[in-house]
Structure formats: structure tokens, C-alpha cells
Amino acid sequence: MAKFTLQFRMEYCKGCELCVASCPKHILAIGDEIGAKGYRTVTATDMELCIGCRSCALMCPDNVIEIYTEGD
């Protein structure tokens, strides 16, 4: 079970890929889902590898990503 959980507010994602570039574990990617703004949105490819560093959330200009630790 993952220690961290990423939640994405897809209605705000514009697929800029800043979060993808900032992830040190390379677990984020632009997926096939189309968001409310008409862009392909971000997804986590392997949540088990997330280290909870919050680089993705800090980099996101639209506040799309929230990170929760196990037990939150």
C-alpha cells in the first residue's frame, strides 16, 4: 500500500507538464483523459513509488495536486 496518495483536481489541469518535469521519481505523466479545459490531464503511473516530496504540487501553477499521507 502506498504511503502517499496524490489527488488531482482535474477541472483545473491544463496539461502544462510542469509537475511531470519536477517529479524526481518520474511517476507522473500526461494521460488520455480530457479535462474541463479541453486538455489532456496528469496522472500517476505508479503511486507506490511516490516519496511525498510535494515537488509536483509546489510546481503546479493551478493548484491541481494535493498529497495525503497514509492515515490523513
Side-chain angles (χ1 to χ4, degrees):
M1 185 165 168
K3 291 173 78 175
F4 300 97
T5 302
L6 299 174
Q7 287 190 345
F8 304 102
R9 298 183 338 174
M10 297 304 189
E11 65 272 19
Y12 299 112
C13 185
K14 61 184 179 216
C16 69
E17 298 188 48
L18 290 174
C19 60
V20 175
S22 70
C23 179
K25 295 305 227 173
H26 309 288
I27 63 166
L28 298 179
I30 298 299
D32 295 327
E33 185 177 329
I34 304 297
K37 295 185 180 233
Y39 300 106
R40 291 176 40 210
T41 57
V42 68
T43 188
T45 59
D46 190 349
M47 194 76 70
E48 294 290 324
L49 295 177
C50 180
I51 59 173
C53 68
R54 293 175 168 68
S55 291
C56 57
L58 293 171
M59 185 59 71
C60 179
D62 297 308
N63 224 10
V64 171
I65 304 168
E66 295 180 4
I67 302 171
Y68 297 97
T69 57
E70 187 177 309
D72 277 356

